[in-house]
């Protein structure tokens, strides 16, 4: 049987689903940068925390704050302060005193483009007190941008939670009052404000090519050779390459093929397993490797960009590409590549996978065109119509399974979540692959509709796109939700870093024990008895997470 197959595509006319299309209606053709604005918590982040301070004389900036903020201003980023001030509700200081404090802050730290203050107490149930996302939405609106183009810096979990719930990035700068579990749950942690600012600017810069390609690229070969989720998060980088090449050929593995079919920018797909990437590889077949090399040579690529995860090596494929006669090869490699790579790119740990891949595309001379947000996208023409019998849009999708059992939600927990969601008035669709039917049937029996085995990946994308939220572990459907701009309640097993693999640029609430012993093990099956990272998830927290994401039980959002 032939292992390589190819499909022609007409990508230039492809319409796409995009999170940005839903969120960014008012922003005209934004520049293809990660961030327009930096939102800063006040107490403990910009200035030393003096509880309920109404006295301008007590304002003390944190070390390096002025210079760090001036770096952001010089880079063209707009700045806003987003701050909980429940002292107003409690009568500890007046609005006038607070304005005097803020005037003093600007005297010391320079002007901010917006100040967003929540005056409420927890008991008020407002939608602006962090971790609710209201201040982030308001700040983005006032700054003329969208939350996904904002990054928020704060010192406690409430700050990061508010950022994520709005689909913004969140950087935690811990202080002695930051709780260890808040540090564990944060996807991005910096040692102090200047370090947070340096990393924001570095990431912003990393997705911009320093030089355009030295020669025009007619055909680019791009490679992403593992599972569906991996292929989906590489989508923005592949679009960047497509913007700079006349034709794009994607080499993917069998596990990623269904996702590859959904990516805009791809003209042709070659499917072939790579035994140094596949998690359950067969033996290396020399004849298959020779024929793959020949097949890749026939592509006639004048550039190859090999995308990998941080624990994978691009070098064996680079050797095959060299043997195929390809003489411009770019890849990320910490291992010494000798003469296998023309562009050896390196990325620090912790960068979101889509940005990590975009930075490699940039190193190879490619960037997203203006107006193309760095979000996940799917080809609209590759997604079938949603089956009529699943009902009107506005349901919640619960996807309990995962190809790696360490990242799946335990069925008994998923069952209780379905019950809690149904009790709260949500319509719940339970999805899963053909081999997960027993689990989805059992889980759905608690009050949902069982769609187990009903959909392939494209069909699942259609169902997810009309959901008001998706409850899912760290697995492919989380990225389908991100691509459709559908909020995610992420039941995230910490086997890999949340900052790299969490749902990208979409409103998200993270649940589960981020400090569980499986943390950073990359285990495919849970190494800890009882699967404690997810078995302790409280179904009530899922209901509350949907409330935080403004997903109501009535089906609206
Ligand atoms: Zn409020």
């Amino acid at each position: 049987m032939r292992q390589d197959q190819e499909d022609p595509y007409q990508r230039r006319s492809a319409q796409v689903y995009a999170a940005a299309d839903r969120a960014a209606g008012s922003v005209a053709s934004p520049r293809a940068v990660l961030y327009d604005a930096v939102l800063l918590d006040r107490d403990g982040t910009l200035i030393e925390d003096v509880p309920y301070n109404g006295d301008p004389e007590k304002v003390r900036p944190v070390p390096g704050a002025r210079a760090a903020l001036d770096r952001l201003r010089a880079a063209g980023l707009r700045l806003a302060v987003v701050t909980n001030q429940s002292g107003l509700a409690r009568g500890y200081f007046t609005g006038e005193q607070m304005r005097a404090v803020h005037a003093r802050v600007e005297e010391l730290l320079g002007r901010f483009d917006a100040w967003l203050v929540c005056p409420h107490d927890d008991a008020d149930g407002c939608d602006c007190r962090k971790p609710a996302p209201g201040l982030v939405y308001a700040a983005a609106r006032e700054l003329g941008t969208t939350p996904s183009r904002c990054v928020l810096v704060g010192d406690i979990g409430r700050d990061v939670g508010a950022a994520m719930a709005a689909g913004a990035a969140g950087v935690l700068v811990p202080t002695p009052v930051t709780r260890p579990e808040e540090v564990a749950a944060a996807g991005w942690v910096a040692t102090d404000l200047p370090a947070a600012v340096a990393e924001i600017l570095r990431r912003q810069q990393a997705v911009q090519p320093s030089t355009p390609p030295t020669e025009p690229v007619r055909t680019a070969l791009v490679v992403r050779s593992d599972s569906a989720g991996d292929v989906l998060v590489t989508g923005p980088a592949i679009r960047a390459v497509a913007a700079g090449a006349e034709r794009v050929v994607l080499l993917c593995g069998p596990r990623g093929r269904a996702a590859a079919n959904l990516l805009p920018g791809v003209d042709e797909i070659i499917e072939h397993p790579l035994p140094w990437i596949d998690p359950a590889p067969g033996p290396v077949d020399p004849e298959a490797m020779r024929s793959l090399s020949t097949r890749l040579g026939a592509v006639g690529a004048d550039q190859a960009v090999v995308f990998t995860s941080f624990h994978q090596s691009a070098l064996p494929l680079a050797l095959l590409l060299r043997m195929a006669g390809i003489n411009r090869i770019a890849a990320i490699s910490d291992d010494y590549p000798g003469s296998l790579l023309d562009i050896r790119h390196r990325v620090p740990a912790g960068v979101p996978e889509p940005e990590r891949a975009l930075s490699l595309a940039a190193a190879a001379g490619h960037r997203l065109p203006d107006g193309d947000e760095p979000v996940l996208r799917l080809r609209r023409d590759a997604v079938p119509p949603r089956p009529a019998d699943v009902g009107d849009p506005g349901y919640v999708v619960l996807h309990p399974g995962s190809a790696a059992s360490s990242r799946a939600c335990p069925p008994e927990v998923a069952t209780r979540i379905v019950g809690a969601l149904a009790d709260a008035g949500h319509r719940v669709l339970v999805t899963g692959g053909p081999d997960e039917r027993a689990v989805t049937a059992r889980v759905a029996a608690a009050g949902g509709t069982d769609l187990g085995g009903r959909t392939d990946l494209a069909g699942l994308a259609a169902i997810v796109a009309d959901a008001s939220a998706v409850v899912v572990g760290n697995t492919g459907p989380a990225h389908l939700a991100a691509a459709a701009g559908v909020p995610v309640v992420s039941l995230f097993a910490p086997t890999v870093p949340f900052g790299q693999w969490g749902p990208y640029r979409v409103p998200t609430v993270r649940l589960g024990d981020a400090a569980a012993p499986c943390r950073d093990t990359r285990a495919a099956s849970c190494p800890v008895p009882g699967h404690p990272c997810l078995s302790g998830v409280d179904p009530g927290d899922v209901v509350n997470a949907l409330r935080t994401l403004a997903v109501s039980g009535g089906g609206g959002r």
Side-chain angles (χ1 to χ4, degrees):
M1 189 185 102
R2 273 167 63 93
Q3 284 182 304
D4 61 314
Q5 303 149 7
E6 59 183 85
D7 281 352
Y9 281 133
Q10 294 175 333
R11 69 191 159 103
R12 297 298 175 193
S13 62
Q15 290 181 295
V16 291
Y17 284 121
D21 294 345
R22 287 191 182 179
S26 62
V27 181
S29 188
R31 283 190 308 140
V33 295
L34 298 179
Y35 308 120
D36 290 330
V38 181
L39 317 183
L40 298 121
D41 171 54
R42 195 191 86 177
D43 300 323
T45 300
L46 286 175
I47 59 176
E48 286 170 18
D49 187 12
V50 178
Y52 306 116
N53 181 27
D55 179 359
E57 294 307 307
K58 291 186 183 159
V59 171
R60 300 273 178 279
V62 303
R66 177 67 198 240
L69 295 171
D70 284 345
R71 285 190 72 192
L72 295 173
R73 293 181 180 111
L77 286 153
R78 276 160 284 167
L79 304 183
V81 180
V82 287
T83 179
N84 286 353
Q85 294 298 334
S86 64
L88 286 169
R90 298 175 196 190
Y92 294 158
F93 52 82
T94 64
E96 197 176 330
Q97 285 174 310
M98 185 184 72
R99 282 187 287 278
V101 166
H102 291 178
R104 178 64 177 154
V105 170
E106 291 205 324
E107 211 176 299
L108 293 166
L109 295 180
R111 209 181 70 79
F112 291 88
D113 299 290
W115 284 84
L116 289 301
V117 177
C118 167
H120 307 109
D121 204 344
D122 274 329
D124 294 333
C126 70
D127 62 7
C128 50
R129 182 164 165 81
K130 294 176 287 184
L135 292 183
V136 180
Y137 282 110
R141 207 161 38 237
E142 198 159 322
L143 297 174
T145 184
T146 58
S148 68
R149 296 171 72 84
C150 295
V151 51
L152 187 156
V153 185
D155 66 323
I156 57 173
R158 280 177 180 268
D159 297 310
V160 176
M164 285 177 37
V171 191
L172 184 71
V173 178
T175 68
V177 307
T178 313
R179 297 201 307 268
E181 61 268 29
E182 295 176 333
V183 179
W188 181 354
V189 179
T191 52
D192 55 22
L193 180 60
V197 163
E199 179 63 7
I200 288 166
L201 293 172
R202 193 200 64 75
R203 291 188 186 188
Q204 178 96 319
Q205 196 62 46
V207 301
Q208 304 296 331
S210 51
T211 53
T214 46
E215 297 163 51
V217 179
R218 290 183 308 278
T219 296
L221 175 68
V222 295
V223 183
R224 182 75 207 213
S225 193
D226 34 14
S227 301
D230 307 287
V231 171
L232 292 173
V233 297
T234 310
I238 291 174
R239 298 202 308 273
V241 173
E246 290 171 20
R247 170 174 169 252
V248 171
V249 179
L250 170 62
L251 170 64
C252 69
R255 294 169 201 271
R257 174 56 188 262
N261 291 342
L262 302 178
L263 290 187
V266 176
D267 296 290
E268 189 180 318
I269 296 172
I270 299 174
E271 177 188 328
H272 200 292
L274 301 183
W276 56 93
I277 301 285
D278 197 284
V284 174
D285 174 355
E287 190 46 48
M289 290 299 108
R290 273 188 286 271
S291 78
L292 174 61
S293 184
T294 304
R295 175 74 193 85
L296 295 174
V299 167
D302 31 16
Q303 183 182 52
V305 186
V306 182
F307 297 103
T308 48
S309 285
F310 67 101
H311 57 277
Q312 297 168 343
S313 175
L315 299 182
L317 186 71
L319 176 60
L320 287 191
L321 294 171
R322 282 285 190 245
M323 291 166 62
I326 295 177
N327 56 22
R328 290 161 69 189
I329 305 175
I332 296 172
S333 186
D334 284 331
D335 292 329
Y336 173 64
S339 55
L340 290 180
L341 300 179
D342 303 286
I343 294 166
R344 177 204 193 179
H345 184 55
R346 302 181 86 165
V347 182
V351 176
E353 285 286 313
E355 288 173 28
R356 191 173 183 275
L358 274 168
S359 77
L360 174 59
H366 304 291
R367 64 192 283 273
L368 284 169
D370 288 348
D372 188 358
E373 285 287 294
V375 294
L376 309 192
R377 294 177 188 270
L378 306 181
R379 298 163 53 103
R380 191 184 287 277
D381 60 344
V383 177
R386 180 171 50 86
D389 64 336
V390 303
D392 292 333
Y395 44 78
V396 172
V397 168
L398 172 68
H399 190 92
S402 168
S405 64
S406 61
R407 295 188 265 118
C409 181
E412 57 279 8
V413 176
T415 302
R416 286 190 285 123
I417 291 172
V418 169
L421 292 176
D423 287 348
H426 294 284
R427 278 184 296 132
V428 184
L429 305 184
V430 181
T431 57
D435 53 341
E436 295 168 338
R437 280 187 178 133
V439 168
T440 60
R442 180 179 148 198
V443 168
T449 301
D450 179 16
L451 298 180
R454 282 272 306 273
T455 55
D456 58 10
L457 193 74
L460 184 56
I463 288 170
V464 162
D466 281 333
S468 54
V470 175
V471 183
V472 63
N474 175 24
T475 188
H479 305 301
L480 293 179
V486 171
V488 178
V489 178
S490 177
L491 310 175
F492 195 94
T495 53
V496 294
F498 183 76
Q500 285 173 234
W501 290 101
Y504 188 61
R505 286 171 99 99
V506 69
T508 300
V509 172
R510 178 185 187 174
L511 297 177
D513 180 2
C518 62
R519 186 177 171 93
D520 294 337
T521 58
R522 286 195 270 126
S525 60
C526 183
V528 188
H531 199 10
C533 66
L534 294 179
S535 59
V537 169
D538 179 347
D541 287 345
V542 178
V543 174
N544 290 337
L546 291 178
R547 203 169 292 137
T548 298
L549 294 167
V551 177
S552 71
R557 101 161 178 243

